[in-house]
Amino acid sequence: MTTIYDIAKLVGCAPSTVSKYITKHGYVSQALGEKIAAAMRDLDYHYNGIARILSTNSSNRIGVMVPLPRPPLLSEPGECHHHGRNHRSGSHHPAHGLLARQGTPLSRRT
């Protein structure tokens, strides 16, 4: 599997520069960005969000347990219907989100 270290070596830049280009955090010149993009295509690199979560030990997600019995509150993970409106996580970053699940509290389980 191709890593940002492989891309950085091919392009001749630091791995942190490749990371900045991929995550769009920080400045990378247009010329260097084009080289990185070409190397990513040549090496068939695909960003792996799960690998990032595992390496940083942080998913930037919040888990919510909603006790039963209640009417269904959630139609899809991360969506809450309240007063006829669909509210999603306030973050637009693909790695941020809200995970919600209905269940019985631990104290009531047998």
Side-chain angles (χ1 to χ4, degrees):
M1 178 175 0
T2 304
T3 67
I4 64 171
Y5 299 99
D6 301 324
I7 296 167
K9 187 175 181 179
L10 181 64
V11 173
C13 67
S16 60
T17 305
V18 177
S19 178
K20 286 178 187 179
Y21 174 80
I22 292 169
T23 62
K24 310 274 190 257
H25 291 319
Y27 175 76
V28 177
S29 71
Q30 183 175 354
L32 187 54
E34 290 171 1
K35 288 180 184 179
I36 292 171
M40 288 171 65
R41 280 190 305 275
D42 293 345
L43 297 175
D44 196 30
Y45 174 83
H46 299 281
Y47 176 77
N48 187 337
I50 301 298
R52 183 171 187 98
I53 289 169
L54 291 172
S55 69
T56 61
N57 200 26
S58 175
S59 67
N60 293 316
R61 295 180 187 245
I62 298 172
V64 178
M65 288 295 292
V66 181
L68 289 175
R70 298 263 189 226
L73 297 175
L74 305 171
S75 61
E76 293 181 24
E79 292 188 356
C80 177
H81 298 279
H82 182 332
H83 300 296
R85 294 191 179 126
N86 184 2
H87 300 283
R88 281 198 158 275
S89 169
S91 172
H92 296 292
H93 191 280
H96 296 175
L98 174 68
L99 301 175
R101 178 122 176 131
Q102 288 184 319
T104 307
L106 290 174
S107 61
R108 297 175 75 191
R109 292 184 182 174
T110 55

